[in-house]
Structure formats: C-alpha cells, structure tokens
Amino acid sequence: MLNKINFSRIFLFLILGLFVFYYITPLYVMIVTSLKSMNEIREGNLFSLPSTINFDAWKIAWGGRGEGTSDTFLKPYFFNSLKITIPALIISTLLGAINGYALTKWKFKGANLIFLLFLFGTFIPYQAILLPMARTLGFLGISNSPIGLILVHSVYGLGFTTLFFRNYYVSISDEIVKAAKVDGAGFFKIFFTILLPISLPILVVTIIFQFTQIWNDFLFGVTFSFGEHAPIQVALNNMVLTSASVKYYNVDMAAAIMAALPTLVIYILAGNYFIKGLTAGSVKG
Amino acid sequence: MEWLKKNLPKIVVAPSFAVLLWFVYGFIAWTFYVSLTNSKLLPNYEFWGIHQYIRLWQMPRWHVAVENLFIFTILFIILCIFIGVILSIFLDQKIRSEGFLKTIYLYPMALSFIVTGTAWKWILNPTMGIEKFVNQLGFENFQFDWLVTPGMSIYTIVIAGVWQSSGFIMAIFLAGLRSIDDEVIKAAKVDGASTISIYMKIVLPMMRPVFMSAIVILVHLSIKSYDLVIALTAGGPGISSDMPAVFMTKMAFGRSEIGLASASAIMMFATVSAIIVPYLYSELRREQDVK
Amino acid sequence: MKMKKILIAIFAISLVPNISFAGPKAEVLHWWTSGGEAKALSVLKADFADKGGEWTDMPVAGGGGDAAMQTLKARIVAGDAPAAAQVKGPAIQEYDDQGVIKPYNIDAVAKAEGWDKLVSKQVAQHMKCNNFTQYCAAPVNIHRIDWFWANKKVLDSNGIKMPTSWSEFNAAADKLQAAGIIPFAHGGQPWQDATVFEAVALGIGGNDFYKKAFIDLDQKALSGSTMVKVFDQMRKLKSYTDAGSPGRDWNVATGMVMDGKAAFQIMGDWAKGEFSAKGLKPGKDYYCSPTPSNKGYLYNVDSFVFYNVKGADKLEGQKLLASLIMGKNFQKVFNMYKGSIPARLDVSMADFDDCAKKSNADLNAASAAGGLMPSYAHGMALKGAQSGAITDVVTEHFNSNMSSKDAAKKLAAAVKASL
Amino acid sequence: MATLKIKNLEKKFNQTEVLKGINLEINDGDFLVLLGPSGCGKSTLLNTIAGLENSDNGEIIIDSQKVNDMEPSERDIAFVFQSYALYPAMNVEENIVFGLKQRKISKDKINESLNRIVELLKITELLKRKPAQLSGGQRQRVAMGRALVRDPKIFLFDEPLSNLDAKLRIEMRREIKKLHKNFKTTMVYVTHDQTEAMSLGTKIAIMNNGKIEQFDTPNNIYNKPNSIFVADFVGSPSMNFISGYIKKDENVISFFPDNEKQKSINLNLIKTKVNNSDEILLGIRPEHIFLKKEHAVRVTKDHNFAEIEVNPELHEYIGHEQIVTFNYYGQEILGKFSSSINIEIDKKMTLFVDLNSVSLFDKETKRRI
C-alpha cells in the first residue's frame, strides 16, 4: 500500500516537473541568449549558460547602436505603448464599470439584449472591423497617432470590461441598491459611494486584463500606426524582421524580454488575484 | 429633470452602446457590404454580388488557410484541454508547491504572441536551435526542421500556441475542480470508487460547462490567431502556414483586394458566430433557469 | 482656474503643427533598411536637409517590401497617404486609378526639368499617371534582376566557371553538392522564390515566352510544356538549397555566398551592395553574371511615387524631393552604393564597377534585341492581384512536392481567377 | 404615521401578471402582514409600495396622497431587507446615517437621531464596525436601526427574520412587536411564516398567485378562512379536509364522506347554504378533534359535535404534544393531542369533532360556504 502511494506520488511529480520544464524552457533560453555574445551563440548551444554576463545586447535592444535611421530599437516604442495603454485602460475600465452597474442594478427594458450585444462584440474576429476602422480613423484625422489607438483599444475593450463588471455586480445583492434608493441616493451616488468602494477585486482583474490585452496587441498596432508611432509589439516584430547580414539573436531575445517585462511583472505581482477573477466567470458560466 | 432622472441609466449606457453599434455592428455591416463589391485598393460601393466569395473559394491559398485553421484549431483545443485537465487534476492532489507550480504554468499567458513567436522561432530554428543542441549531444542525425518544412510549420504554431495558452486552461479547470461540491466526491469515496474513476466518471462529467467555456475561449483564440503566425512563420514557408487572419490582412493591404479581404473576414466572422451564438444562447437560457 | 489654464495650454499645443511652416517637409516611406541601401538613401536625406527640408523617415523593414507595401496601403485606406513612398511598376498607375495621386504635384517639376529627355521612354512610361500623360513618380535607378552572384574562391577551387546555360549550372551545382558546399544560397520568402522563378522562366522559356506568360498572361503559355520545364528547373534549384533556407532574408543568403558557405545566389543587383559593404570586389572576390538567357534583361525601376497631400510645406517637400531624386549627383552616388545603374541616361558610368558597366551594356543590347523585360517578381509587369496569384503558386510549388505539371495547371487557373 | 390605501394595483413582468388587482386599506398604526407562499407576489407588492418597482395600473395612496409617481426616497418610508442590505464599505454608523445625510439634515439632528437609535437597539459598541464583522443578529439590528432612524410614515419589512436561526428569530420577532407597540407606526411586513404573521399582524393579507385571498384580522384568518388555500396555508399542522357530499332530505342535512354510504355527519346545527348532493370539503383543524366524549361535551357549544370512527395509523411525538394520523374511510385526518395520552396504533376508535369550528368549502370554487 505504501509503495503504491509512493509510486503514484512520484509519477505525479514527474509529470508536473516535465511541464515545468516545458513552460520554463523558452524563458530560460531567452534570458541566457540575451546575455551571450554572438560568438558564444554560434559556438555554444541553446541551453548553455553565458560564460560572462554581458548586457550589451540589452543596451542595443533598448537604445540602439547609434547607426541612425537603419537602427531599430525599443525605447521610443516602449513609451508609445505606455502612452496608448494607460489612457485606453482607464477609459475602458471606467465605462465598463458604469455599464456593468447600469445593466445589472438599474435593469431597464432591453438591458439583457444590450448586454448580449456587448458580449458578442467581444468574440468578433477583428479582421471584420479592420478596414472600416482604418477609414474611420483616417476620417477623424487620428490615424497613425496614439489617440487613434487609444480609441481603438477603448472601443474593443469595452465589451470585456462591461462583461467583467456585469458579472461581478450580478453577484452583489440588489437589495443594497434598493436600500440606497429608499435612503434617497441617486444613480451616481449609489455607484460611487456604495458599489465602487467594494469593486476593488474586479477592478484589479479588469485593469490587469486590459493592460495585458492592450500592451500585447499587435494587429491594431501594425494596422493603425506606422513608423515612429508604433507600439512596442510592432517595433519588436520589425526589429526581429529587419534585414541585416547578421542576425543578432541576443538582441532579439533581449528585445523580446523587454517587450514582455511589464506584463510579466504585473503577472508575478498580482497574477493569482487575476486568475481568480478571470476564471470565476468561465467556471460559473 | 424628472425624465432625466428616470432615464439616467439608459443615458449612461447609451454612449457605450452607440459606440458598440457603430464600431462593431456597423463596421461588420460595412465589411459585409464591401465584400459584395469589387473594391480594390479603396472601397468602391458598386454592388457586385457574391463574386468575391466565389473567387475566395476558388483560391488555393484560401483553401490552405482554411485547412490550416482546422488543423491548428483542432490540435490547439485538444492539446490545451488535455494538458489543462491533466495538470489541474494533478495540482488538485494537495501538492505543497502548488502556488509555485501554478505561477510557472501560467506565466506564458502574460506574454504576447509576438514575444512567444520570437522566442519559439529561435528555439525551433533548424540550424541554431534544438536541432543543433541535440546534434551536439551526439545524435548527429537528429533533425527537427518543422519551422521551415512546408506541411510541418503549422505544427510549430501549435506548439507555441499551446505553450502560451494551456496554462490558462489549466487554471480554468482547477477553478472548476475546486468549485465542485465536496460531498459528491465524499459520496463516491464512501461507495468505494478509486481516485481515477472518481475523476473520470464523476468529476469530469460534472465539469461540462467548464469544457464548454474552455472550448469557446480556445476556438476564439485560434480564429483570431494572427500575431503568432506573423511572428513565428509569417505564413511560410511559402504559404504553407497561412491562416484566414493572415490571409485577410495580406489581401487587404498586400494585394489591394479589399473586396476579397472583406469576404474572407466575413467568412471568419460567420465561423465564429456559428460557434458563439448557440453557446451564448444556451448560457443565457441557463442563467434565466437559475433565476 | 487652474483647469482652465491647462485646457488653454492643451489647445494651444494642439494648434502648433498647423501654425508653423518651417520649410519643405516630406514623409518618406521606404524599405531600404539594410546596410548598402540605407547608406544609399542617406545621400538623398542629406541633400534634402541641405536644401532646408525636413525629412520624416518611415522605414518599414521586412519581406522585401511586403511589409512596407502593407503599411502604405493601410495608410492610404485610412486616407493618410505619406508625401512619397517607394512604389514602382503598374502599382503606380493602380494608385492613380484609385484617385489618391491626383493632382500630380510633381508634373510641373518634371516638365520644367525636361525629364522626358533625361530617361528612356520605357522608364518614363512607368513614371506617368493620368493615362501616361503626367509624371507622378520619380525614377531612382534601374535594377537588373536576373543576376548570378558567386563566390570566386569556391568556384575556382572546385574548377567551376560561371555557367552560361542552365544545364551547365546544374552540373556545377551537383559537383559542389558532392563537395559538401551548399550550391545555391536562397532565402525562402515568396518574393525571393518569385525572383528565381522569373529568371529561370526567362532563361528556359526565352523572351517571347516570358512576354506571353508574364505580361500578356496567356493561358497557353502559363500552362504549357515550357512552363512545366521551368518548374522542373525550380525543383532542381530547391534541391540545391540548405535546410535553413525558408524564411531567410536575402542578405543573409548573400552573406552565405560571401562567407563561402554557399556558391551561387540569384538576386537583383542590390546584392552587390552587401559585397561592397564588406569591401569585396567583383571579379576578384566574387563573380557577377546574368543568369543564362538569350539576351534577356529583367529590369526593375525603383521609384518614388508622390501622393496627393495637403499643405504648402508638404507640396514644397514633394517638389524638392522629386528634383533631388533626378539630380545627377544623387543618381550617381546612390546607384554606386545601391548596385544598380542610374535611371538618368546622361550619368557617366566611368566610376561604376564592372558589374554595373556590364549591366548598362546589356541593357542597351537587350533593348535592341527585344529582350528588355519588366520583372514580374518585383512588380514591374503586373498588378498586385495577378503577380500575387502567380507568386502563390510558385512558392507553393517550391515548398512542396507538387509536380511541375500540376503547378503549371494551377498557375494558369490562379491567374484566371485573379483577373 | 400614516394610512395606506391600495386600489386595484396591477403589475406585469413581461407577459406574466404578478399583481392582479390588489385592493387594501389599512389605518394609521396598523401592522399589516402580507403572507403567502414564495412567488405569490407579496414582495413585489411591497417593492411597489416602496416605489422600487413601478405598477402598471392602480393607485397607491399614503395619507391621502397618491405616491405612484414618487421616487422611493420621496415617499417617506423605510425598508428593512431580507439580506439586510447593509452598505459593505461603510461602518455601522455611516450605514445608519446615510439616509439622513442624503436628506441634508443638520449634523446635530443626525447625531441626536443616531444616539436615540443606538440606545434603543443597544448597538453602541458596534458603531465603528463594518457589516462583514457583524453577526447575523447584529446586522439585523443595524438594518432596523437604519430604518428607525428616519422616523418614516410607514415601515416596510421584507422577510427580515428569514436569515436568522430559530431562536434568534423568535427573539427578534418580539422586539419588532415591542417596537410597534411603542411607536405605533404603520408597518407592512412580508413573510411566508404563518406564525410570524399571526403573532405580529393586526391585519393579515393572504396572497396567492398575484391576488389577495383574504384580508382580515389574524383571528378571522385562522378561524374563518375564506378559501381552502387560506385554510391550508395557516395553521400547523394544517387543517384536515374531508372530501364528501351533502345529502339534504326533509330537515336533515348530512355529510357523507367519500367511500361511505351509511355513516354520516349531521350538519343541522350549522346554518349553511348547502344544497342536496353538493360536493364539499369539510375542514377541521387538528385541535378541534377530541379523544374523549366528556371533553367534547364540555368544550363544544350546544353539544354540537360529531362522532367519527377512525383507525389510528401513526403518531409523531413533538414534545408537549403529539400529532396522530388517522384513517377515516381512506382519508387522512390529523389530530393534535397532549403527549401524555396513550393512543394505540391500528386499533379502531371513535373521535369527537367540534362542529362549531368546522369550515365547509365548495369543492368546485374552493371558497368557503
């Protein structure tokens, strides 16, 4: 009996360990490659540790080689992404919160249909709206500007944020709102003094989700922004694709880690919280 | 004033709703209309019937893209769910280092597909990556060049995609497992069921809604998969790893075939709708039943 | 109060770009990002700056211009065209058809400077819009596409001469392969596959065949037995490439030839820029010779097209840019870096290298013999939809086990569907 | 303190009618209990009175003022919810004074009211706590405090005790009763618990399926139920219904239970408007069934009782009482007796039924005859 338990325990840890290997390998390879020199990369193998830790690739990925226009590096695009991500995140989260509140706590005729349309909107393939969006941005005169991308991300984030807040507010007793109505509080008063103070969990989930979505976006970035206005994922892709007679894998990897760093840090800091919130909906649903 | 007070909730939702109607449904309608025109570089609003759809389905490249989408979607779903289920069940066995393991299984989700593609492109690189590593280990004849082999490159996209998304599926299943009423499992234990049969016959069947959610999320991810293909293979070698999402942008912005591109986008939209609409419908029904 | 001040400030800032007219302005979209190209372009940038212009660079790397074209079209669809973009061939007229070039801002410059006399008629045709009556683009150069580039050391040590027929090439390649050298350096990207394909088609099929297949889009030529032979040769070439070829950039392939890892590459004469950037000399370190054909010459004229833009500063920028591009100095310096020959006829070839001189001589000979052909692979012969359809099949064949017969059949069908 | 009048109130949710013409009228100081099974519309009626839901038709009049179009906060009511609905982010004190603050009442007055309530409910030590730190009973108290502090015209309670355990429920019930006794405020109280209804209400409205079945004093509701529904809903164990028919010849009115042709119950002394061969249900409350004839003779007025022969089948011991199930010609009858009496199971016996307290119902209309 004891043996049997031990055996299955060992098997369990073997499988779990194997997957640790699968998930961690790419990150490990990225990190060690980014710290090696090109010579070491050519001569050594994928997994070998760098002989000396060398941050040159990081410096080049961040600030370039100083070769002028043919030089691509991430620094300006990193800030572009921040400029786009933060406002879009705030706008879509606030609107989503108030939508979720209005749709659950002030049920009016058609509220369910409206929610359904929001929900369905989150599933559409973006290819179906790419061309008219390009036309619209051009028409508004905000194509190829951070404002354009802020608009795009706010609009297409709205479905998700509304969904999150709606699901959260559905679980909060309607009676609280009724009590506040009897007490004489109005629509906004109830939202700001009663519901918002208890929305921290879902706020965190929404903010992390939106940040990750917007930061990691490539399709909108590559379609609606060009050259110096591009967000970081587009810049990373350009950098990796840029023709040079030598491929600098160490610089590519350093750049990739840089582009992933903000979301990675957020994930490590608040990941568990985030997963809890995110999975709650799909498990219940 | 009274009117305003009464309609305030509607007024507050109205801007978002208007934005939604315009930017989602209006745009889809626009795209649908353009798919019925002979638009080239710029939209042209002269009605042309379903010619673009006929052209689309006559294009070998579109067939490649659709076939790849099927291969990718099916493998992606099966692998993600398989890994998700296995890992979640194993993690559910009161593992002491659960928190640590979860963090590792889940971090790829925080990475963009571009980063994922960049990393895997390097690892799967046939001259410098895994192949070289294994060769150096002494297996000189080892070959692993899927990335550059037509017909195989689509599977590298599966590998990278599964790597990025399976952790999240694991998390969904784990949350599902934890939400199952303990008493059912206790009852089964009292009845003398083994751990394996408890999971196979009782727990997993109870997680049907979780499976449904996971499948919908994964289908949705796979149809949208554009970034990963671009970063990993760019649809190559040749067009062998093309996918509808890549096809659409190539046609729209590479070939000046806006009409054709719109037709392909509408095909994607129709595919997603065919899966999502029944799902949402059943979800909504259930929600009302619960009430 | 404070809020109000801030608002005013924001408003003022948003107005700034409209008030300030600094001088000629141009936003230029191009894909010349690699060493030789970037150096060549910087000549133009410097000239532009000297004349008080403000140059906004929009380099879009990747895919031999595919990515740049994609970006450009996305901008045009958004109604936000740049002042000038690196566009060539029938695409220029295609843009004109969509009404994004009118009113032909640079035609006045061209007329004043007498461009009709400065470039050949064939080149001039490519630059004109409005039914080939008004200049809307400025030519930069003439590239020859059908070049063989080879490592001299590798060839010499294996006793191989530059091939003058395809069978000679095949024999040489077999020998090299046996010696453990990659015979054919190739970057497996669709446009590179197409580049090789058209060189082979011109060589094996001949001038008339090329014209019928890639200019007239004749169904018989596209599906006929000659085309099958062309595909056969493509299959052979594929067998001469290495495993890492798919997805590789062209200059990486060129690097393989330079390093002696590989022997041959088929690539336009911009490849020379890579050789010279490393300080290598034609005839001494490497060979350049046309791919075997009967006095054929596949050309590609790089040009900048000038879109309809608003604002005096931008219009000035376009005019200045057009004038500079056609300037004698720029045409010479740029092309010496780039590897091509000037589009302008009155530039002395004396300072150019042997490859360029040969290109220039061949150009005249081919022109006389009726072998001067626009490159389909580089968008000089066909509109995007048709050239794209051809490339789809070519690249699919090259990267699979498809038989040559099937490929020819598919080619004809794809072209038909794209019309 | 106010009167409340409801005239012909109707409400629909989508297609389903939830309130089908409700009419009610209570006086100042009345304690109205809305009693009924879940889904009968009692909570909807309460919400409509509060203005939390709109009616489609009819009038709600508080103190001779029609309030249909007024906001909840303008109706001068207070509402105590089933889940207490305390604001989670606020502490007890903030919860209690929130409504007063909304009404822009001066700080001094707010403090005065707060102190009064805090003393009354003895919750001084809870003031700085958040709702999550309170026990169920404490939350209930705070919820009451939040309602009381406003000193409204009408108090509305929506099953305020249903989330408490049995002991606490009885305690709080008495406190509410005391509050009503002291303040004499008009109250409307929704519950599905008949004991609560009986003990608290001065008036009870029994609701079923969107309609009021009976609106009366607790006494009448219990003793003179209008319908089978009311009779069945009130009382524990509920009233026995014996199915049978009337035989009326000459001056004798007899009730024959189903399956029995010989032995009948004489209903002569009850003045009823029954006709020959009417199909009826004879309703008897379990406590109106006696084991001994002397007992029946002593208790029933005019010796108006009937003897029935039954077979005891089951007895349930519930402490001070026992409930015995008898078989009466194939129909079940429950009787409630002191637990000190010994009844032998499966031994035929005679029971004595107080006919003054029986109710007759028309089988067809289910109404009282």
Side-chain angles (χ1 to χ4, degrees), chain C residues 159-327:
Chain C
I160 289 167
K161 279 191 191 131
M162 280 307 268
T164 54
S165 72
W166 285 99
S167 52
E168 257 181 65
F169 171 79
N170 291 343
D174 289 338
K175 202 168 163 188
L176 287 162
Q177 204 157 34
I181 289 162
I182 301 164
F184 186 54
H186 181 66
Q189 292 169 336
W191 72 272
Q192 295 188 56
D193 297 343
T195 301
V196 173
F197 176 69
E198 66 174 5
V200 173
L202 182 69
I204 287 179
N207 297 336
D208 285 347
F209 169 77
Y210 183 90
K211 187 165 177 297
K212 265 191 193 152
F214 301 115
I215 296 170
D216 305 339
L217 296 176
D218 178 69
Q219 282 284 313
K220 268 186 207 145
L222 287 167
S223 60
S225 61
T226 313
M227 192 57 84
V228 175
K229 276 186 214 145
V230 172
F231 277 115
D232 282 342
Q233 179 60 34
M234 288 300 284
R235 178 63 69 239
K236 268 225 119 81
L237 281 166
K238 170 77 182 177
S239 71
Y240 296 141
T241 62
D242 63 315
S245 135
R248 178 188 286 149
D249 285 311
W250 68 269
N251 48 355
V252 178
T254 308
M256 290 166 66
V257 174
M258 287 194 274
D259 297 347
K261 266 194 220 151
F264 292 99
Q265 184 188 16
I266 294 177
M267 188 44 61
D269 48 22
W270 50 87
K272 200 172 60 188
E274 298 295 307
F275 286 101
S276 40
K278 278 267 159 72
L280 304 179
K281 295 269 167 328
K284 209 175 119 221
D285 304 299
Y286 65 95
Y287 290 124
C288 58
S289 76
T291 57
S293 71
N294 182 21
K295 286 204 175 144
Y297 187 108
L298 288 170
Y299 71 87
N300 163 39
V301 178
D302 281 326
S303 51
F304 280 97
V305 68
F306 296 87
Y307 291 102
N308 177 21
V309 289
K310 301 234 151 60
D313 50 350
K314 289 182 183 166
L315 287 177
E316 279 310 304
Q318 284 188 328
K319 285 180 185 162
L320 175 60
L321 192 61
S323 172
L324 286 173
I325 288 171
M326 278 299 280

Side-chain angles (χ1 to χ4, degrees), chain A residues 175 178-180 183-184 189 194 197, chain D residues 47 73 81 83 85 87 102-103:
Chain A
E175 294 191 337
K178 286 184 183 169
D183 272 346
K189 184 94 190 174
I194 305 203
Chain D
N47 279 330
S73 53
F81 293 91
S83 66
Y87 310 131
Q102 296 312 306
R103 285 178 170 71

